[in-house]
Amino acid sequence: MTVSPAPLRPPPRTGPARRGRFGVHLFLTAVSLAFLAPLLLAVYASLRPYEETAQYGYFSLPHHLSFAYYRQAFVDSGMSKYFLNSLVIAVPGVLLTLFLASFVAFAVSRLRIRGGTALLMVFTAGNLLPQQVLVTPLYVLFNKVPLPYWMSGSMTLYDSLWAVIAVQIAFQLGFCVFVLANFMRTLPREIFEAAIVDGAGVWAQYRQVTLPLCRPALAALGTLQFTWMYNDFLWGLVFLSDGDKLPVTSALNNLRGQFFTDYNLLAAGSVLVALPTVLVFLLLQRHFIAGLTLGASKG
């Protein structure tokens, strides 16, 4: 008769270790609440009538809560067409950015090309250039780039969604190349050597080996890129003169009156504008967290 050994139990936490763990949780909770406080206040204000907050203050207890402001904000601002404009800008922008960045990162990290390190430095240095510096040159350039009438009503790149998409891709490409190139360098070389022995060419190594392994990194970058492109207001304001083409961030201006602004209505509109980014994060949450923690367990 054999007696199975008792399962090993972790040693009990000592007093200092338990207090340290409690302190860490307390600090993280405080930081999370500090980040969530503006959003929670906006949601709370959007559910209350403006007359109530004007009389009792924004931090008072509610007397009446309703979702009436959300319907009014969506209708009065014409938010549906602006939502579509932002999606037309953000979705192709994110897909093209990740596609081009993965191409360049694969070439720099996995292929022995001459000047690969210098090319990576050039892409990285592009992120250090302030966007406001290029507003005037790009404005002049886009007014001189011709486009057919079916692509732009102005017959130029200016006042078209193509201009905003192009600028978004150009400015976000460097960051994505930097992140993906450093991640691809951590992939085991033996996997690519085995693929070469099996007869895989460069395209097969990229599509069938590299991209599946980079899925967490691509998901994390896709979430960040969608958030940045969707929330951008500068480029749409500079390169779009037609009000019907502006992104959704500009729709909030339609909720501001000439002599009076209902800030509870504006808060409801802000919450509606933020919903797509929250939805994208919830859908890609598992991959996003996996992408952020890549390499955390390596020695």
Side-chain angles (χ1 to χ4, degrees):
M1 178 177 181
T2 59
V3 179
S4 59
L8 297 178
R9 296 181 179 179
R13 296 185 181 274
T14 60
R18 183 177 301 175
R19 288 193 297 268
R21 187 177 182 86
F22 176 77
V24 170
H25 282 282
L26 184 63
F27 172 76
L28 294 177
T29 302
V31 172
S32 301
L33 290 176
F35 275 95
L36 290 175
L39 177 60
L40 295 178
L41 180 59
V43 173
Y44 180 54
S46 66
L47 297 174
R48 303 178 64 188
Y50 179 79
E51 294 78 9
E52 181 178 311
T53 55
Q55 180 179 0
Y56 301 104
Y58 281 95
F59 294 97
S60 59
L61 294 177
H63 294 78
H64 178 70
L65 298 176
S66 69
F67 292 93
Y69 271 139
Y70 286 93
R71 182 180 181 278
Q72 183 180 350
F74 189 84
V75 174
D76 291 355
S77 64
M79 200 171 288
S80 57
K81 63 179 179 182
Y82 296 108
F83 268 127
L84 181 60
N85 292 339
S86 292
L87 292 178
V88 170
I89 293 173
V91 174
V94 170
L95 295 178
L96 288 174
T97 300
L98 295 181
F99 176 71
L100 297 175
S102 62
F103 253 15
V104 177
F106 177 77
V108 170
S109 61
R110 307 309 309 183
L111 302 180
R112 297 180 179 179
I113 61 174
R114 183 175 300 177
T117 303
L119 181 63
L120 181 61
M121 293 176 61
V122 169
F123 274 95
T124 306
N127 293 325
L128 305 178
L129 187 65
Q131 299 180 354
Q132 292 80 2
V133 175
L134 296 179
V135 167
T136 301
L138 288 176
Y139 177 83
V140 176
L141 176 64
F142 287 174
N143 274 282
K144 296 183 178 179
V145 176
L147 287 180
Y149 71 91
W150 54 271
M151 293 184 64
S152 173
S154 63
M155 304 292 290
T156 62
L157 192 57
Y158 176 74
D159 195 24
S160 68
L161 297 179
W162 300 101
V164 183
I165 295 174
V167 172
Q168 294 285 6
I169 294 174
F171 272 95
Q172 302 299 337
L173 192 60
F175 174 76
C176 293
V177 170
F178 175 77
V179 173
L180 289 176
N182 285 280
F183 173 73
M184 290 180 184
R185 285 174 176 170
T186 64
L187 298 179
R189 186 175 296 274
E190 292 78 7
I191 297 178
F192 295 91
E193 292 177 351
I196 294 174
V197 171
D198 290 339
V202 174
W203 173 251
Q205 295 177 42
Y206 166 78
R207 185 173 62 87
Q208 300 178 3
V209 179
T210 306
L211 288 185
L213 294 176
C214 293
R215 186 178 300 171
L218 291 173
L221 283 175
T223 306
L224 293 175
Q225 294 300 316
F226 180 85
T227 302
W228 293 340
M229 294 183 185
Y230 176 86
N231 290 330
D232 180 74
F233 179 71
L234 173 65
W235 297 122
L237 186 65
V238 171
F239 297 129
L240 297 174
S241 61
D242 187 355
D244 292 336
K245 298 178 182 178
L246 291 173
V248 71
T249 48
S250 64
L252 298 179
N253 284 332
N254 298 337
L255 300 177
R256 301 176 64 93
Q258 183 177 0
F259 303 104
F260 168 75
T261 299
D262 189 339
Y263 290 100
N264 292 29
L265 177 62
L266 196 61
S270 302
V271 174
L272 288 176
V273 169
L275 284 180
T277 56
V278 176
L279 179 61
V280 169
F281 175 76
L282 292 177
L283 292 176
L284 299 177
Q285 180 181 8
R286 181 170 61 88
H287 298 288
F288 180 74
I289 296 176
L292 293 181
T293 56
L294 288 173
S297 60
K298 294 182 179 180

